[in-house]
Amino acid sequence: MSAKTGMSSDITERVDRRAFLTLAGSGGIAGLSGCIGFGGDEESGDGGDGSGSDGSDSDGGDSGDEAPDTIVFGQPGALSGSFDFLQPGVSQAADAAVRHINEAGGPLGAELELVRRDTAVDPQEARTVATQLVENDNAAAIVGLFSSEINPLWDYLQDLRTPIVTPWPGSTFLDTRGGDKGTPSDVSDDEWVWRTVVGDTVHTGGSAVYALEEGFETLGIINGNTEGERSYVDGFLSVYEQNGGTVAERVEVELGSSSYQSALSRLFDADFDAFLVSMPQESAITALSDWSDGGYGRQPILSDTLAQQAVIDQVGSDLHGAWVASPGRSGPSYDTFNDIYNEEGDAEINGWTPPSWDSVQITALAIERAGSTDPEAIQKNLGPVSRGEGTTVSTFAEGKEALANGEEITYRGAATPTDFTEHGNVFGSVTISTAESGGFVETTEVAAEDVREYVAEGKY
């Protein structure tokens, strides 16, 4: 296994896509598809005959080309910035997945290599990094990017025409954007983003359901002024208000302030039962410390990234009893992932760690099924390896063997079943964790089925 940070991979016999992007421009990228394949063996079962059992293309490359020695996945990451405390678990999961895949023989017999670059969750830096990964590092796929990066870069990422299979974004923006629209053999309607983590509509819906069940029918809200923080609140409210909950006051604040007393004063002038906090960790600690100092009371409900010991330590005992809803760890292969993950290192598992494992596993399986590293071929095979009634597999090793035997496969992940919807989304359970003196303790779980009934038809 090889993982690099901020370094270009030295890969021979690959086509530099910069020339294609420059010549084609944003309106003519369609000519790129099919030009960067290594092809499959036309006699090797399903991988090279051009069609899967569901009618989807499973090749996409030029069948006469040789397979590469190395295949690169690019991972934009939060190595710095507001969410850097989550990156170690995500990195370790991806590295563990790459090691496992290479020990199983690698996709198409090649060595899988991960190139990790820092974006600091900044959209402009993310654009630069995505470009570097595709054009300089020759990444066949991207296994990262946050909501705050994807949403403003949406059109650019579509023009890039490289599959993005990411463990990060919760944004409701992606509820009806992304995936293959249920037509894997036809990329004309595709939107090249898939997420292996449940969206905000799902886990914030679980939090809203729990709040209503606990009798909190009136809410106050304080949230940051960035896309991720707004999206979390919007996902919560889409379920909360539709099922009888009322918002008494919502205050939006600039992040990074030294004090939020003024905003809290405005918020707590209203009458409500509980208040929702959607802010990055540093700003949330400031706001919650101000809340504690001001003696405002009432029930805190925290956004998912705040389930950290540091938040309790710095805010103090007033925070005890606050709860967080986060993506559950309900995937059928969680135990398998956990065993391999723990062999890789000791980074703490968070809600985005198992989805990181899933993103690498399922993308490698798509390549194996396609018999090609052509981005369009990968895109066409992400749906087929995650849906349907094929042989159930929980790792790349199992999937590679089944595909070699001419079987169709259905990957079942660590975070969720990873059965991609037409918009490239997944469903899973929601874990409710409560702040106590020793940390956040998992206290209950909202089943995926209970949340799914609240998601509007067609949104997923």
Side-chain angles (χ1 to χ4, degrees):
M1 180 199 74
S2 175
K4 298 182 180 180
T5 302
M7 297 177 63
S8 297
S9 304
D10 181 16
I11 302 172
T12 59
E13 298 183 351
R14 300 225 25 170
V15 178
D16 185 352
R17 275 180 251 172
R18 179 186 300 276
F20 286 97
L21 293 172
T22 302
L23 291 172
S26 61
I29 306 298
L32 173 62
S33 61
C35 297
I36 316 176
F38 295 94
D41 182 352
E42 291 187 347
E43 297 178 1
S44 61
D46 194 52
D49 66 359
S51 62
S53 62
D54 61 355
S56 64
D57 286 358
S58 59
D59 183 18
D62 298 326
S63 60
D65 292 346
E66 295 181 0
D69 294 327
T70 306
I71 296 171
V72 173
F73 288 175
Q75 187 176 62
L79 305 182
S80 62
S82 299
F83 297 101
D84 61 354
F85 63 97
L86 297 173
Q87 186 65 45
V90 170
S91 295
Q92 183 172 310
D95 292 343
V98 170
R99 175 173 59 83
H100 159 77
I101 289 166
N102 286 332
E103 288 175 351
L108 310 184
E111 180 183 8
L112 180 60
E113 181 177 338
L114 191 73
V115 177
R116 184 175 295 122
R117 292 182 178 272
D118 185 23
T119 70
V121 199
D122 174 81
Q124 291 309 309
E125 186 62 23
R127 178 174 179 139
T128 299
V129 164
T131 302
Q132 290 173 329
L133 290 170
V134 172
E135 298 180 6
N136 299 342
D137 302 318
N138 295 296
I142 291 173
V143 289
L145 291 177
F146 283 73
S147 299
S148 298
E149 300 164 329
I150 290 172
N151 297 14
L153 297 179
W154 183 255
D155 290 342
Y156 170 75
L157 295 175
Q158 298 310 301
D159 289 345
L160 202 60
R161 293 181 71 85
T162 298
I164 297 167
V165 187
T166 171
W168 288 115
S171 176
T172 56
F173 177 87
L174 293 176
D175 284 359
T176 55
R177 295 178 176 89
D180 62 7
K181 309 311 173 191
T183 57
S185 62
D186 176 13
V187 297
S188 65
D189 58 354
D190 283 24
E191 295 171 316
W192 295 68
V193 177
W194 310 70
R195 54 179 169 181
T196 52
V197 66
V198 298
D200 286 346
T201 299
V202 177
H203 65 269
T204 58
S207 184
V209 169
Y210 185 70
L212 291 167
E213 289 177 346
E214 291 294 298
F216 298 114
E217 298 180 353
T218 308
L219 197 70
I221 297 170
I222 181 168
N223 66 269
N225 62 343
T226 59
E227 176 59 34
E229 281 62 52
R230 290 172 180 146
S231 174
Y232 191 93
V233 172
D234 292 343
F236 187 103
L237 294 182
S238 68
V239 171
Y240 185 75
E241 292 182 316
Q242 289 175 17
N243 291 277
T246 302
V247 176
E249 184 64 57
R250 179 173 179 175
V251 177
E252 185 167 288
V253 297
E254 293 282 343
L255 300 178
S257 296
S258 59
S259 173
Y260 291 101
Q261 285 288 5
S262 176
L264 290 169
S265 179
R266 283 186 285 130
L267 179 64
F268 281 88
D269 277 344
D271 184 22
F272 49 80
D273 304 316
F275 66 103
L276 176 64
V277 180
S278 179
M279 305 168 77
Q281 181 174 291
E282 184 177 347
S283 294
I285 288 173
T286 301
L288 289 166
S289 296
D290 289 344
W291 162 78
S292 177
D293 292 342
Y296 290 106
R298 288 178 254 188
Q299 172 67 45
I301 304 172
L302 310 180
S303 59
D304 49 358
T305 60
L306 300 180
Q308 306 295 322
Q309 182 66 50
V311 178
I312 299 175
D313 290 345
Q314 297 190 51
V315 175
S317 60
D318 284 345
L319 197 62
H320 294 175
W323 86 71
V324 173
S326 58
R329 302 169 189 175
S330 60
S333 65
Y334 181 83
D335 290 343
T336 300
F337 147 76
N338 195 43
D339 290 343
I340 298 172
Y341 177 83
N342 288 327
E343 293 174 1
E344 189 70 23
D346 57 4
E348 183 178 355
I349 292 178
N350 57 59
W352 296 266
T353 304
S356 178
W357 163 272
D358 289 339
S359 68
V360 177
Q361 293 283 326
I362 202 164
T363 307
L365 286 170
I367 291 175
E368 189 73 17
R369 184 180 187 274
S372 171
T373 57
D374 174 63
E376 184 174 300
I378 300 171
Q379 174 75 5
K380 288 180 177 180
N381 283 275
L382 285 163
V385 298
S386 65
R387 311 176 184 129
E389 300 178 356
T391 300
T392 298
V393 301
S394 60
T395 64
F396 174 81
E398 293 176 0
K400 184 179 179 72
E401 180 179 0
L403 288 167
N405 292 332
E407 303 169 27
E408 284 295 345
I409 62 170
T410 303
Y411 175 72
R412 289 293 172 255
T416 73
T418 323
D419 47 349
F420 284 130
T421 69
E422 65 182 68
H423 302 303
N425 294 310
V426 294
F427 268 97
S429 65
V430 177
T431 296
I432 305 295
S433 301
T434 304
E436 300 180 2
S437 58
F440 281 88
V441 178
E442 295 183 7
T443 52
T444 190
E445 184 176 272
V446 182
E449 294 76 14
D450 293 340
V451 180
R452 191 160 193 160
E453 66 179 279
Y454 293 102
V455 177
E457 186 70 26
K459 287 203 73 174
Y460 255 56

